[in-house]
Amino acid sequence: NNTAMMSPSDLAMAGDWERFRKLIKSSGRDLRGVSSFVPQYMYSREVRLLFQMGSPVDVLNRSKEFLVKEYRSKLLDVAADFGQRWKKEIERIGMSSSEHILAAQSEMKQDRLKKEAEIEAWALSSCWDVKCAAEHYFTLSPPDTTSEGGKNDDDTAM
C-alpha cells in the first residue's frame, strides 16, 4: 500500500485517520514529533467534511485561511532558524576579520533565501491544488436547480 511509505505530513494532508492515529500512538508520550502535523490533519478532515456537506465556498475560505497561516508560520520558522544559526556562527567565529564575518553572513543569507523560495513554491503549489480541486468539484457537481435568489424556481412562481 502506498500510504505505508507516506511522510507524516503527507499522511496528515491525506486525512487518513486510521494511519494518522497509529502514528500518534507509535509516538508514545512524546508527541513533539507529530504535534506539528495536527493542524494539517484537522484541515484535511475539515475540508473533506465541507465537500461532503456540499459547501465548496466554505472549502475555499478555509483553504485560504489555512494556507495563509501555514505560509506565515513557515516564514517565521525560517527567520527564527536564521537568527539562531547566525548567533551560533558569530559565537563560533569570535573576533575574526570582517571579511570572514561577511562571507559567513552571505552564505547564511543565501540559505535563508533558498528556504524562503521553497516556501513560496509550496504556497503556489498548494494554491494550485486548491484551484484544481475546486474546478474538479464544480465539473462533477450536478447543475444547480435553484435560481440566483436561492429559492427554487417553483417558489418564484408563487
Side-chain angles (χ1 to χ4, degrees), residues 3 21-22 35 40-41 43 50-51 64 69 87 92 100 105 113 136 142 145 148-149:
T3 56
R21 207 161 107 195
K22 286 179 184 177
S35 64
Q40 294 174 351
Y41 174 75
Y43 161 75
L50 289 170
F51 268 130
K64 181 191 98 160
K69 183 180 175 192
K87 183 179 176 184
R92 186 186 71 76
H100 187 70
Q105 183 184 38
L113 290 173
H136 185 72
T145 58
E148 283 187 32

Side-chain angles (χ1 to χ4, degrees), residues 29-44:
R29 294 183 183 266
D30 186 7
L31 297 176
R32 288 178 287 186
V34 294
S35 64
S36 61
F37 303 113
V38 171
Q40 294 174 351
Y41 174 75
M42 296 302 294
Y43 161 75
S44 175

Side-chain angles (χ1 to χ4, degrees), residues 85-96:
R85 289 178 50 222
W86 179 242
K87 183 179 176 184
K88 287 179 183 177
E89 185 67 15
I90 288 295
E91 290 171 358
R92 186 186 71 76
I93 294 173
M95 298 302 287
S96 295

